[in-house]
């Protein structure tokens, strides 16, 4: 199977390149492409989400038939080529079109994570991989934010994609040259219609990510207007879930997640609901900061729990089922900023309240996760 080292390095570089300039799109689109940066940023994000929603389940189905080695190598070489093209675009619609084509291939790389975990037999290894993945995600966000603030000041910021193209090429060569020791031909599950308890789990996933992401778009504006915080302090609190993910990965033993994880999910989600309501109406800044730190810890643990539960249920078909999880997650990420925009017009604290309500909905739906409905499931094995 693909080595864990390769998977996590590949995912870290991919996520970093994807997030790098995104916080600065409004300013960059306005300055470089002479368009309405705020409006075009929303349009750009919506288009990108739609591509990921469509392509990720499609890649999940294709990986049932295609050898993952060739899929990953081809995707890396294509993303390298497209990133070189992206570094030379000079119009907004050229940037949009090139970015969408890039996501068509890049979305396949995110299935490396469930593919890796699905091949693991021991529960503790699955838990360790899940915590490592969340750690990689949040580390990439922090590194990209810091590096992006430097890159955006370059005369031609898009040139940075040439360096990422080189990285993708090196990763592709690495995978090809280490075939003998780190890769083997895998048997992938055949999928057919049957009864499988996954629909309500995915519905809970939708509410979970909607709840955690509806609070983000106007969070720094809320902290500035409510507490008069500086941009730097607001950004620090905004990034607190990512910071706590790194702290907890280094301090919380994975054996904590070896038993029944869903009861722990219920407890953490209820605590997150209370903490979001506290953040919305806290009287003192110190209370707000403490609640934000605790909320960040809960967000990390609940994300890991949801992944572990899916991997235990899906086993060898993890990549296929996880492709649907990513699609549902991106649907929530598409809806969250639209909802946040509308309710923030009434009160900037309302996104926090809406986030709490969505998490309550996730908790309400999760007990139905074992209710069977016609869906897709592993039934036998074919050669990959």
């Amino acid at each position: 199977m693909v080595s864990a080292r390769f998977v996590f390095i590949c995912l870290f570089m991919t996520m970093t390149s994807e997030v790098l300039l995104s916080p600065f799109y409004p300013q960059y689109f306005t300055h470089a492409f002479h368009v309405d940066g705020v409006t075009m940023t929303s349009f750009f994000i919506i288009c990108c989400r739609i591509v990921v929603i469509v392509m990720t389940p499609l890649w999940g189905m294709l990986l049932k038939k295609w050898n993952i080695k060739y899929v990953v190598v081809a995707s890396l070489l294509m993303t390298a080529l497209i990133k070189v093209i992206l570094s030379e675009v000079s119009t907004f619609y050229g940037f949009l079109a090139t970015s969408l084509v890039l996501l068509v291939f890049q979305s396949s790389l995110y299935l490396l994570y469930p593919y890796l975990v699905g091949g693991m037999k021991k529960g503790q290894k699955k838990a360790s991989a899940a915590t490592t993945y969340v750690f990689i995600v949040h580390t990439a966000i922090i590194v990209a934010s810091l590096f992006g603030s430097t890159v955006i000041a370059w005369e031609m910021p898009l040139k940075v994609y040439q360096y990422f193209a080189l990285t993708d090429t090196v990763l592709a060569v690495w995978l090809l040259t280490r075939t003998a020791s780190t890769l083997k031909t895998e048997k992938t599950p055949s999928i057919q219609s049957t009864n499988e308890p996954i629909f309500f789990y995915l519905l809970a996933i939708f509410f979970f990510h909607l709840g955690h992401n509806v609070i983000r778009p106007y969070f720094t504006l809320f902290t500035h207007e409510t507490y008069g915080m500086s941009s730097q302090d607001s950004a620090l609190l905004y990034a607190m879930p990512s910071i706590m993910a790194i702290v907890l990965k280094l301090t919380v033993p994975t054996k904590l997640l070896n038993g029944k994880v869903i009861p722990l999910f219920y407890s953490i989600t209820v605590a997150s609901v209370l903490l979001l309501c506290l953040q919305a109406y806290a009287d003192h800044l110190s209370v707000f900061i403490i609640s934000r730190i605790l909320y960040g810890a809960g967000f990390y643990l609940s994300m890991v729990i949801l992944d572990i539960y899916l991997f235990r249920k899906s086993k060898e078909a993890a990549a296929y089922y996880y492709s649907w999880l990513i699609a549902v997650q991106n649907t929530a990420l598409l809806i969250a900023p639209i909802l946040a925009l509308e309710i923030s017009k009434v009160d900037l604290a309302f996104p926090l309240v809406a986030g709490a309500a969505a998490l309550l909905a996730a908790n309400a739906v999760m007990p139905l996760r074992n209710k069977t409905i016609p869906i897709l499931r592993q039934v036998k094995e074919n050669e990959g």
Side-chain angles (χ1 to χ4, degrees):
M1 62 186 296
V2 182
S3 71
R5 180 181 299 178
F6 172 85
V7 169
F8 290 127
I9 291 176
C10 180
L11 289 175
F12 175 79
M13 297 307 301
T14 301
M15 292 173 186
T16 301
S17 68
E18 184 174 321
V19 175
L20 187 68
L21 297 181
S22 59
F24 310 100
Y25 280 157
Q27 304 95 305
Y28 182 72
F29 289 168
T30 300
H31 175 73
F33 301 139
H34 308 292
V35 296
D36 182 343
V38 174
T39 301
M40 289 306 179
T41 295
S42 298
F43 177 64
F44 179 85
I45 292 173
I46 289 171
C47 291
C48 290
R49 296 295 182 201
I50 291 173
V51 169
V52 175
I53 290 168
V54 172
M55 287 306 305
T56 310
L58 181 58
W59 281 116
M61 289 185 283
L62 291 175
L63 285 176
K64 295 192 284 108
K65 301 178 180 179
W66 296 352
N67 188 299
I68 191 169
K69 166 193 169 182
Y70 301 115
V71 171
V72 173
V73 169
S75 293
L76 284 169
L77 293 176
M78 286 302 300
T79 58
L81 174 62
I82 297 167
K83 285 174 183 177
V84 172
I85 297 173
L86 189 64
S87 70
E88 300 293 337
V89 299
S90 57
T91 66
F92 170 77
Y93 288 103
F95 183 82
L96 172 63
T98 309
S99 297
L100 295 182
V101 176
L102 174 64
L103 283 174
V104 168
F105 295 95
Q106 193 163 278
S107 56
S108 69
L109 301 178
Y110 289 107
L111 296 182
L112 275 170
Y113 162 56
Y115 174 86
L116 172 70
V117 180
M120 295 176 173
K121 303 300 181 184
K122 295 182 179 179
Q124 187 160 351
K125 284 188 175 181
K126 291 178 184 286
S128 178
T131 58
T132 300
Y133 174 74
V134 176
F135 171 81
I136 290 293
V137 169
H138 291 289
T139 302
I141 292 172
I142 294 173
V143 171
S145 299
L146 295 175
F147 185 34
S149 63
T150 300
V151 171
I152 200 65
W154 293 1
E155 183 177 352
M156 302 181 71
L158 295 185
K159 293 294 184 183
V160 73
Y161 288 109
Q162 295 180 3
Y163 297 103
F164 286 112
L166 177 61
T167 301
D168 289 346
T169 304
V170 170
L171 287 170
V173 172
W174 179 10
L175 187 55
L176 282 172
T177 56
R178 292 181 63 85
T179 301
S181 60
T182 64
L183 202 72
K184 63 182 180 181
T185 301
E186 295 287 330
K187 289 184 176 181
T188 51
S190 176
I191 308 295
Q192 71 180 30
S193 181
T194 186
N195 285 331
E196 178 68 16
I198 193 71
F199 174 80
F200 289 103
Y201 169 79
L202 292 177
L203 186 60
I205 288 287
F206 170 78
F207 284 121
F208 175 82
H209 285 287
L210 179 66
H212 284 296
N213 285 280
V214 73
I215 70 177
R216 292 184 175 184
Y218 304 100
F219 180 83
T220 56
L221 184 59
F222 170 76
T223 55
H224 174 73
E225 293 198 2
T226 305
Y227 301 104
M229 300 182 71
S230 66
S231 298
Q232 292 79 7
D233 291 339
S234 294
L236 180 63
L237 285 178
Y238 177 88
M240 188 55 65
S242 298
I243 295 171
M244 290 307 300
I246 294 173
V247 171
L248 292 183
K249 167 59 181 174
L250 300 175
T251 57
V252 174
T254 55
K255 63 182 180 180
L256 177 68
L257 304 170
N258 283 345
K260 294 183 178 180
V261 293
I262 293 300
L264 182 58
F265 172 80
Y266 291 143
S267 301
I268 292 174
T269 305
V270 169
S272 296
V273 168
L274 297 176
L275 289 167
L276 285 176
C277 291
L278 186 59
Q279 289 176 51
Y281 300 108
D283 293 330
H284 301 286
L285 179 59
S286 58
V287 174
F288 181 86
I289 292 173
I290 293 171
S291 64
R292 184 68 179 170
I293 292 172
L294 294 175
Y295 162 80
F299 182 42
Y300 164 79
L301 290 173
S302 52
M303 280 187 68
V304 172
I305 286 170
L306 289 173
D307 280 6
I308 290 174
Y309 177 80
L310 179 63
F311 292 139
R312 288 178 181 175
K313 282 287 186 181
S314 57
K315 299 179 181 178
E316 290 83 1
Y320 174 77
Y321 289 119
Y322 203 83
S323 69
W324 284 101
L325 184 150
I326 294 175
V328 170
Q329 177 183 343
N330 275 274
T331 302
L333 294 178
L334 176 63
I335 296 173
I338 300 173
L339 176 61
L341 175 62
E342 294 304 316
I343 61 179
S344 65
K345 293 176 181 177
V346 181
D347 192 320
L348 285 173
F350 278 10
L352 292 163
V353 178
L359 292 182
L360 277 178
N363 245 16
V365 171
M366 188 60 80
L368 301 175
R369 68 191 181 279
N370 292 320
K371 182 177 176 60
T372 58
I373 62 170
I375 196 75
L376 300 178
R377 171 177 183 262
Q378 174 190 1
V379 292
K380 65 180 181 178
E381 292 185 341
N382 291 331
E383 289 297 324

